[in-house]
Amino acid sequence: MFKRILIANRGEIALRVIRACRELGVETVAIYSQADRDAGYLQLADEAICVGPARAADSYLRIDRVISAAEIGNVQAIHPGYGFLSENAHFAEVCRSCDIGFIGPTPEAMARVGDKNSARALAREAGVPCVPGSDGLITSEQEAVTVARSIGFPVLLKATAGGGGKGMRVAANDLALASAWQQASAEAQAAFGNAGIYIERYVERPRHVEVQILGDTHGTMLHLWERDCSTQRRHQKLIEESPSPRLAPETRTAMCAAAVRLAKTAGYHSAGTVEFIVDQQGNFYFIEINARIQVEHPVSEMVTGIDLVKAQIRVAAGEKLEMKQEDIVPRGHAIECRINAEDPANGFRPCPGRIERITAPGGFGVRFDSHVAAGYVVPPHYDSLLGKLIVHQATRREAIETMARALKELRIEGIKTTVPLHLEVLANSAFHDSQVDTTFVERMLAG
Amino acid sequence: MFKRILIANRGEIALRVIRACRELGVETVAIYSQADRDAGYLQLADEAICVGPARAADSYLRIDRVISAAEIGNVQAIHPGYGFLSENAHFAEVCRSCDIGFIGPTPEAMARVGDKNSARALAREAGVPCVPGSDGLITSEQEAVTVARSIGFPVLLKATAGGGGKGMRVAANDLALASAWQQASAEAQAAFGNAGIYIERYVERPRHVEVQILGDTHGTMLHLWERDCSTQRRHQKLIEESPSPRLAPETRTAMCAAAVRLAKTAGYHSAGTVEFIVDQQGNFYFIEINARIQVEHPVSEMVTGIDLVKAQIRVAAGEKLEMKQEDIVPRGHAIECRINAEDPANGFRPCPGRIERITAPGGFGVRFDSHVAAGYVVPPHYDSLLGKLIVHQATRREAIETMARALKELRIEGIKTTVPLHLEVLANSAFHDSQVDTTFVERMLAG
Amino acid sequence: MSAAQSQGDIFDVKKVRRLIELMKEHDLSEIDLKQADQRVRIKRGQEAVVYAPPVAAVAPRTSVVAAESAPVESSRILVISSPMVGTFYRSSGPDSAPFVKVGDRIGPEKAVCIIEAMKVFNEIPAGISGQVVAVLVENGAAVEFGQPLIKVDPEA
Amino acid sequence: MSAAQSQGDIFDVKKVRRLIELMKEHDLSEIDLKQADQRVRIKRGQEAVVYAPPVAAVAPRTSVVAAESAPVESSRILVISSPMVGTFYRSSGPDSAPFVKVGDRIGPEKAVCIIEAMKVFNEIPAGISGQVVAVLVENGAAVEFGQPLIKVDPEA
């Protein structure tokens, strides 16, 4: 096991990794920007090193500074968290060349699954269903039209380097396709420096279901069942749960097996997530692999009883996974609500500022993962996640009741949060009946 | 289901019941003494009624005032919590005569198990092993000597109405027995108004293991497996865990079956605890039944996934238990540490006062049940329990690691607590090896 | 809910003004009234520590509601508060006259109300002498322990 | 809900204004009104400790390390702080003389130290003129971003 690792991240995931390390007896070096210098979780690390000013591009995203901090911090490995450098294959390569362990997949596997087009090729190789679409990148508008006609309208244009909905366009016919093509490639070029676009059939009102995978460097690859993240707003996940409600048992088994097959084909190890969409007929299609720990990993932890971050650190240190697939038996139902510093009444505008008072919920089945405390100032430079409220109960109905109870106990004074939105979703009958697809929240808010 | 219930208690257990009710959609009426008027949990109740001054005998223990509050609060039932009136059969009777539901066993069952001597008779009837001892109360010193010789020294003298170690004496021979007899009966008379004493063989260095039971009013009686509460100081439990380490599987099964048999013989329903001691040879002996929810109930909740307080309210409302014994499968290992306002460096003197700041621990496997917050003033009138820190992990070793991590995250400023003592126990190799009996903490503190 | 409605709107500024005038009149530094889910709390003057010199005179802290059961002097007006939890009645029956009304002169033995608890009707004696200046609770309302019931001016 | 509605909007600014006027008029320090799930709480003036004359002059808070990389004035002394994370070296090699020592006069172009980061040795220029008054970090020590390295008196 590592003696000391560096955490190349901030906020709740930095605290999450510190907690895992403290339980493993591993020392931690935290890095921080000047905007985060007063954050309380830094005191739980064994050492904290300032790597730059508030702007992420000058601090958390600066590979040279993070590596320097790892060197002066004298660590054996780096945990990248999520976001920032976590899916940057070049960063993973630099770590390797500096002889610093990277707590994640190899740079090669990361690159293989990171590009959507090559990931689709891997999926086909592994016999995992993809949304019908182009075999590779589309290079001209004419080709786009030909492909779209062959797979059938409506179609979805996606940036190969994309994420978070950027560079995505839906086209219902030839005419719409022409302008969508130009917008999508321009947007992709601007956002990712890569104008590569591919085309898929547009699946209407899909559910977003993803499979948590976990593999070691000795050839074992397991899944920790699925999460349903259909409750989204503008492609941003709001509520995640496990198991996915209304998923047929055979679909579930097939999807989890497909995820493991795909990960093995990619030569993947560590924790990761294989994302699928499920259409209204219950067919599932591979979308992408997230080569890192995910924000919503706690719901899988709750139902399986497995600490994913500790497992991730253990396999990075070369340990074998002791468990077998048949040992991973889900129990009960878990739900996570992301508590963001946003104002639901004001177009979900980020709402940085000082938290005057906070009362965390507690009791049976409640977990609150948050780096904030009274007096904490939410900096405007990063994402607006304040914490994650996770509940675990015997049934989905009880999980909803516990979540509503816990949300009402959670008091955050000084800034606006997404708590009222969550309460609205939980009270919605479509959510109760699990009639949720990725368009649900927007329809609810419009209604 | 009840529409509205009154909670005849205070502190963390009052908050625990409020949380259960909020999840069940049941309204709550809290009562409070003038010392508790500013306690934050009162705001989570639908109504709060002051029942008297700080002294418990003038407020929480006043049956007339509690019943009046139930009447003006217009409730259908009363949850008594633990302590105070929870095991007062007369109070349960008054509730019945006032047509107010009592969330607990019937007064008859409570009376039957509440008296230790009659509980021993029930145990013999149910074929549950008791520590060899007198058949009933001892009425003279001469009889004490005769009985002690027949069961063999050393012997333990216990008050039939006792609890918390009061009225208990060990005697190693005839001479010691004479003075022990007089002290014990005088102490029992003073403490409980009942000088009744019985004699048992003294079991050296026993483990304290108890079985959680849960029954409905339709004849179903289940167990939720056992808890080990051997980590005590002066008969006060400090740390509880489930499952009990080093308990042979067949002992465990036999003990749990015995608890259910005994509860059925007593005509018991609701939640309750059957306490046993286990001697160094692994034999178990019945000690007593606690006819209420217990402080340490969360460890059983964590390993079974069953919310005991909600179940208790449901069965009190006449609902049938849906689950079967074979559905109650323990998972992982849970540990609870009682966080008391006591000064370990000063003979564990209670340490009331104002809490200036509190940081609650969080993350995977951590539950913190506490009614205190920054600014809370711990009143000197009641027990010193500030909260309960509970962890749940796959294995006992990991549970210990998570507990140590969480205890170090928990910061309470302004008063002294038992946190340092817990850290000392967790670091002790005898505790790691589960070589713990009820004398362990005192031996550890003696150095 | 019914209790809240019967007591009317505590956010009524006029009511608050009357309370404040009472505070000034009697030089109170704090009023804290709580009933069911209603609470009125008003502080006057500098609450906290004043370091000298010169030392500011700090008004003596008085409490109108904290007493165990006996009324406590607050400047001049005394308050009879409820010694138990129950239902407050101003008279011994629906057709009877109230035990006391504003303006009555009373002695310590005078029954001022009945509080019903557990079907027992308890006559509450005044315990003090003076003139009734206010009856604070409506007939039939629930009262908790320590709740102010009747105000008495002992010097009137 | 109905009770809340019947009481009207407690966020009514006019009502709050009247409450505040009331507070000013009567020199109240706090008002706290609570009913059902509504609450109005207003505090006025100095909540806490009041120190008497003479008031001690509190030094203005300054930060010598908060700047992005440029030194920040604190009274007269300027500080050169580290523009990166790395290892600090006072000289270009074990046998070389230090770039600067206390008492040296330096100009903006003058290299004052080397910071090694990722095997790259970065010469750090002073950026300012003046006299070195202190070297704050030991040779070979790790430095973080923004850490003060050298103090310079620009007016000496």
Side-chain angles (χ1 to χ4, degrees):
Chain A
M1 180 47 67
F2 306 119
K3 195 181 166 299
R4 194 173 170 93
I5 73 168
L6 178 134
I7 300 160
N9 217 299
R10 64 174 299 282
E12 74 87 17
I13 192 65
L15 174 58
R16 174 74 188 86
V17 178
I18 290 172
R19 284 172 168 159
C21 289
R22 292 189 131 207
E23 295 181 18
L24 289 168
V26 173
E27 293 173 0
T28 49
V29 176
I31 60 168
Y32 63 97
S33 75
Q34 289 181 326
D36 283 329
R37 64 185 324 140
D38 294 324
Y41 63 88
L42 296 176
Q43 301 189 1
L44 295 175
D46 293 284
E47 189 179 347
I49 298 175
C50 182
V51 292
R55 217 167 68 97
D58 299 327
S59 49
Y60 297 110
L61 285 167
R62 280 283 294 263
I63 292 178
D64 56 341
R65 293 182 173 189
V66 174
I67 295 287
S68 293
E71 285 177 342
I72 70 169
N74 199 23
V75 302
Q76 283 117 46
I78 294 181
H79 194 299
Y82 51 68
F84 293 137
L85 298 171
S86 63
E87 291 183 281
N88 185 321
H90 171 61
F91 176 62
E93 254 167 28
V94 173
C95 287
R96 183 157 62 187
S97 71
C98 295
D99 209 19
I100 297 169
F102 179 81
I103 299 171
T106 61
E108 293 77 17
M110 194 187 277
R112 231 172 273 140
V113 304
D115 179 276
K116 286 189 187 168
N117 196 48
S118 91
R120 275 172 68 92
L122 276 174
R124 278 188 291 264
E125 188 186 332
V128 174
C130 298
V131 179
S134 56
D135 259 350
L137 297 183
I138 303 291
T139 51
S140 72
E141 190 182 317
Q142 188 46 50
E143 191 185 348
V145 172
T146 313
V147 170
R149 284 182 183 163
S150 77
I151 61 177
F153 283 102
V155 295
L156 184 64
L157 283 70
K158 288 171 95 173
T160 188
K166 285 223 175 83
M168 273 170 74
R169 285 291 183 286
V170 179
N173 52 46
D174 284 10
L175 199 66
L177 183 61
S179 69
W181 163 259
Q182 284 175 1
Q183 289 170 11
S185 43
E187 198 170 307
Q189 178 66 42
F192 314 112
N194 180 345
I197 295 286
Y198 63 100
I199 293 185
E200 286 176 359
R201 183 184 304 148
Y202 175 63
V203 177
E204 288 184 79
R205 299 179 56 160
R207 301 178 74 109
H208 175 115
V209 183
E210 60 189 30
V211 177
Q212 175 68 51
I213 54 169
L214 176 65
D216 62 21
T217 54
H218 305 276
T220 297
M221 175 54 68
L222 306 169
H223 69 80
L224 277 76
W225 303 95
E226 85 287 0
R227 293 185 288 260
D228 194 311
C229 315
S230 303
T231 307
Q232 309 184 343
R233 188 188 153 271
R234 300 202 179 164
H235 303 284
Q236 302 295 320
K237 295 167 187 169
L238 282 169
I239 298 180
E240 301 98 351
E241 53 187 310
S242 183
S244 172
R246 289 182 180 264
L247 197 64
E250 59 277 14
T251 309
R252 187 178 195 218
T253 312
M255 189 186 288
C256 292
V260 168
R261 225 156 51 229
L262 178 47
K264 281 185 172 172
T265 306
Y268 194 93
H269 81 282
S270 187
T273 299
V274 184
E275 293 193 336
F276 297 93
I277 52 174
V278 179
D279 69 17
Q280 293 287 317
Q281 289 71 46
N283 303 302
F284 67 89
Y285 304 103
F286 166 70
I287 312 188
E288 65 179 31
I289 296 185
N290 294 315
R292 50 169 162 86
I293 196 75
Q294 211 130 333
V295 175
E296 60 269 26
H297 75 274
V299 295
S300 301
E301 293 185 325
M302 301 315 275
V303 293
T304 63
I306 294 167
D307 186 318
L308 272 163
V309 177
K310 287 204 297 201
Q312 204 186 14
I313 296 169
R314 283 199 178 107
V315 298
E319 288 187 19
K320 271 191 174 173
L321 285 170
E322 298 276 317
M323 55 198 143
K324 294 187 178 59
Q325 188 62 59
E326 57 267 31
D327 301 334
I328 306 176
V329 182
R331 179 177 198 153
H333 196 96
I335 303 180
E336 171 182 286
C337 286
R338 298 194 188 190
I339 311 300
N340 294 335
E342 292 171 6
D343 184 358
N346 239 314
F348 295 89
R349 199 181 302 161
C351 193
R354 183 183 157 89
I355 293 176
E356 299 299 336
R357 255 176 79 117
I358 179 166
T359 310
F364 181 64
V366 175
R367 167 178 173 187
F368 186 50
D369 275 29
S370 172
H371 60 294
V372 310
Y376 179 81
V377 178
V378 182
H381 312 89
Y382 315 111
D383 72 41
S384 58
L385 186 68
L386 296 175
K388 305 180 304 200
L389 183 54
I390 306 119
V391 300
H392 184 211
Q393 274 286 5
T395 63
R396 184 171 190 269
R397 211 200 60 192
E398 286 176 288
I400 291 173
E401 288 163 356
T402 300
M403 181 60 88
R405 185 272 286 174
L407 283 168
K408 286 173 194 158
E409 265 179 45
L410 172 62
R411 296 279 163 135
I412 300 178
E413 290 169 34
I415 58 171
K416 302 280 187 188
T417 75
T418 44
V419 167
L421 175 70
H422 288 302
L423 284 169
E424 192 180 341
V425 171
L426 292 184
N428 188 290
S429 63
F431 185 82
H432 272 254
D433 297 344
S434 314
Q435 300 286 16
V436 172
D437 58 64
T438 57
T439 67
F440 159 69
V441 173
E442 264 119 8
R443 284 185 285 121
M444 182 190 84
L445 292 173
Chain B
M1 182 46 69
F2 306 117
K3 196 181 165 299
R4 194 173 170 94
I5 71 168
L6 178 134
I7 300 160
N9 217 299
R10 65 175 297 283
E12 75 85 18
I13 193 64
L15 174 58
R16 174 71 188 88
V17 178
I18 290 172
R19 284 173 168 157
C21 288
R22 292 189 133 207
E23 295 181 18
L24 290 168
V26 174
E27 293 173 0
T28 49
V29 176
I31 61 168
Y32 63 97
S33 75
Q34 288 180 328
D36 283 328
R37 65 186 321 140
D38 294 322
Y41 64 87
L42 295 176
Q43 300 190 0
L44 295 175
D46 294 282
E47 189 177 348
I49 297 174
C50 182
V51 293
R55 217 167 69 97
D58 298 328
S59 49
Y60 297 109
L61 285 168
R62 279 283 294 262
I63 293 179
D64 56 341
R65 293 183 173 188
V66 174
I67 295 287
S68 293
E71 285 177 343
I72 71 169
N74 199 23
V75 302
Q76 283 117 46
I78 294 180
H79 195 300
Y82 50 68
F84 293 137
L85 297 171
S86 63
E87 291 183 281
N88 184 321
H90 171 60
F91 176 61
E93 252 168 28
V94 173
C95 287
R96 183 156 64 188
S97 71
C98 294
D99 210 19
I100 297 170
F102 178 81
I103 299 172
T106 60
E108 293 76 17
M110 193 185 277
R112 231 172 274 140
V113 304
D115 178 278
K116 286 188 186 168
N117 197 47
S118 90
R120 274 172 69 93
L122 277 174
R124 277 188 291 266
E125 188 185 334
V128 173
C130 298
V131 179
S134 56
D135 260 349
L137 297 183
I138 302 292
T139 51
S140 72
E141 192 182 313
Q142 186 46 49
E143 193 185 346
V145 172
T146 312
V147 171
R149 285 181 181 164
S150 78
I151 60 178
F153 283 101
V155 294
L156 184 65
L157 283 70
K158 290 171 93 173
T160 189
K166 284 224 175 81
M168 273 170 73
R169 284 290 182 288
V170 179
N173 52 45
D174 283 10
L175 200 66
L177 183 61
S179 69
W181 162 259
Q182 284 175 0
Q183 288 168 13
S185 43
E187 197 170 306
Q189 178 66 42
F192 314 112
N194 180 346
I197 295 286
Y198 62 100
I199 293 184
E200 286 176 0
R201 183 186 300 150
Y202 176 64
V203 176
E204 287 184 79
R205 298 178 57 159
R207 300 179 74 108
H208 175 115
V209 183
E210 60 189 29
V211 177
Q212 176 68 51
I213 54 169
L214 176 64
D216 63 20
T217 53
H218 305 275
T220 297
M221 175 54 69
L222 305 169
H223 68 80
L224 277 76
W225 303 95
E226 85 287 3
R227 294 184 288 260
D228 194 312
C229 315
S230 303
T231 308
Q232 309 184 341
R233 188 187 154 271
R234 299 202 179 165
H235 304 285
Q236 301 296 320
K237 295 167 187 168
L238 282 169
I239 298 180
E240 300 98 351
E241 53 187 308
S242 182
S244 172
R246 290 182 180 263
L247 196 64
E250 60 277 13
T251 308
R252 189 179 192 217
T253 313
M255 190 186 286
C256 292
V260 168
R261 223 158 51 229
L262 178 47
K264 281 186 171 172
T265 306
Y268 195 93
H269 82 284
S270 187
T273 299
V274 183
E275 294 193 336
F276 296 93
I277 53 174
V278 179
D279 68 17
Q280 293 286 318
Q281 289 70 45
N283 304 303
F284 67 89
Y285 304 102
F286 166 71
I287 312 189
E288 65 178 30
I289 296 185
N290 293 317
R292 50 168 162 87
I293 196 76
Q294 210 130 333
V295 175
E296 60 269 26
H297 75 274
V299 295
S300 302
E301 293 184 326
M302 300 316 275
V303 294
T304 63
I306 294 167
D307 186 319
L308 273 163
V309 177
K310 287 204 296 200
Q312 203 187 14
I313 296 170
R314 283 199 177 108
V315 299
E319 287 187 20
K320 271 191 174 174
L321 286 169
E322 298 276 318
M323 56 200 142
K324 294 187 178 59
Q325 188 62 59
E326 56 267 30
D327 301 333
I328 305 176
V329 183
R331 179 176 199 156
H333 197 96
I335 303 180
E336 171 181 287
C337 287
R338 298 193 188 192
I339 312 300
N340 294 334
E342 293 170 6
D343 185 357
N346 239 314
F348 295 89
R349 199 181 301 162
C351 193
R354 182 182 157 89
I355 293 177
E356 298 300 335
R357 255 176 80 117
I358 179 166
T359 309
F364 180 65
V366 175
R367 167 178 173 186
F368 186 51
D369 275 29
S370 173
H371 61 293
V372 311
Y376 179 81
V377 178
V378 183
H381 313 88
Y382 314 111
D383 73 42
S384 59
L385 186 68
L386 296 175
K388 305 180 304 199
L389 183 54
I390 306 120
V391 300
H392 185 210
Q393 274 286 6
T395 62
R396 184 171 190 268
R397 212 201 59 193
E398 286 177 288
I400 291 173
E401 288 163 355
T402 301
M403 181 59 89
R405 184 273 286 173
L407 282 168
K408 286 172 193 157
E409 265 179 44
L410 173 61
R411 296 280 163 133
I412 299 178
E413 290 168 34
I415 58 170
K416 303 279 187 190
T417 75
T418 43
V419 167
L421 174 70
H422 288 303
L423 285 170
E424 192 179 341
V425 171
L426 292 184
N428 188 290
S429 62
F431 185 82
H432 272 254
D433 297 345
S434 315
Q435 301 286 16
V436 172
D437 58 63
T438 56
T439 67
F440 159 70
V441 174
E442 264 119 8
R443 284 185 286 121
M444 182 191 84
L445 292 174
Chain C
M1 196 50 88
S2 58
Q5 281 164 349
S6 69
Q7 285 141 18
D9 180 4
I10 65 158
F11 299 105
D12 181 346
V13 177
K14 272 189 214 147
K15 191 180 280 180
V16 174
R17 173 180 291 276
R18 286 203 304 275
L19 285 170
I20 294 167
E21 280 162 5
L22 215 59
M23 289 176 79
K24 282 183 73 178
E25 189 182 336
H26 303 291
D27 196 26
L28 303 184
S29 59
E30 184 172 350
I31 277 188
D32 191 343
L33 307 175
K34 191 157 181 280
Q35 179 169 11
D37 53 357
Q38 295 192 343
R39 184 171 186 176
V40 173
R41 192 165 165 218
I42 305 175
K43 288 191 186 181
R44 249 185 93 237
Q46 263 145 4
E47 186 201 2
V49 190
V50 178
Y51 289 92
V55 178
V58 177
R61 276 210 169 182
T62 57
S63 164
V64 290
V65 296
E68 296 233 352
S69 71
V72 166
E73 183 170 8
S74 90
S75 191
R76 214 178 53 159
I77 300 298
L78 300 180
V79 173
I80 303 171
S81 54
S82 178
M84 63 183 74
V85 183
T87 307
F88 173 90
Y89 292 107
R90 290 194 59 182
S91 61
S92 59
D95 304 321
S96 316
F99 289 103
V100 291
K101 52 188 194 305
V102 173
D104 284 2
R105 307 208 141 265
I106 57 171
E109 310 295 322
K110 166 70 178 163
V112 292
C113 64
I114 277 174
I115 294 178
E116 185 238 305
M118 296 184 71
K119 320 278 183 252
V120 176
F121 292 80
N122 307 281
E123 276 194 3
I124 308 300
I128 46 172
S129 303
Q131 185 173 25
V132 173
V133 292
V135 178
L136 302 166
V137 182
E138 285 190 37
N139 194 51
V143 291
E144 61 180 350
F145 175 85
Q147 184 172 337
L149 303 174
I150 290 164
K151 290 196 176 178
V152 175
D153 183 343
E155 291 166 22
Chain D
M1 196 47 90
S2 59
Q5 281 163 349
S6 71
Q7 286 141 17
D9 181 6
I10 64 157
F11 300 105
D12 181 349
V13 177
K14 272 190 215 147
K15 193 179 277 183
V16 173
R17 174 181 293 275
R18 286 203 305 277
L19 285 170
I20 294 167
E21 281 163 3
L22 215 58
M23 289 177 80
K24 283 179 72 174
E25 190 183 331
H26 302 289
D27 195 27
L28 302 186
S29 58
E30 185 173 347
I31 277 188
D32 191 344
L33 308 177
K34 191 160 180 277
Q35 179 167 14
D37 53 356
Q38 296 191 341
R39 183 171 187 177
V40 171
R41 193 166 168 216
I42 306 173
K43 286 193 186 181
R44 240 187 98 236
Q46 265 148 359
E47 188 195 352
V49 190
V50 178
Y51 290 94
V55 177
V58 177
R61 272 209 174 184
T62 57
S63 167
V64 288
V65 297
E68 296 236 350
S69 70
V72 165
E73 183 169 7
S74 95
S75 190
R76 214 177 50 159
I77 302 298
L78 299 180
V79 174
I80 302 171
S81 54
S82 177
M84 63 185 72
V85 183
T87 306
F88 174 90
Y89 293 107
R90 289 194 60 181
S91 62
S92 59
D95 304 321
S96 315
F99 289 102
V100 293
K101 53 187 195 304
V102 173
D104 285 2
R105 305 209 143 264
I106 56 172
E109 310 296 321
K110 167 68 179 163
V112 292
C113 64
I114 278 174
I115 294 179
E116 184 238 306
M118 296 184 70
K119 320 280 182 250
V120 175
F121 292 80
N122 307 280
E123 275 194 5
I124 308 301
I128 48 172
S129 303
Q131 185 175 23
V132 173
V133 292
V135 178
L136 303 166
V137 181
E138 285 191 37
N139 193 53
V143 291
E144 62 181 349
F145 175 84
Q147 184 171 336
L149 302 174
I150 290 164
K151 288 194 178 178
V152 175
D153 183 342
E155 292 166 24

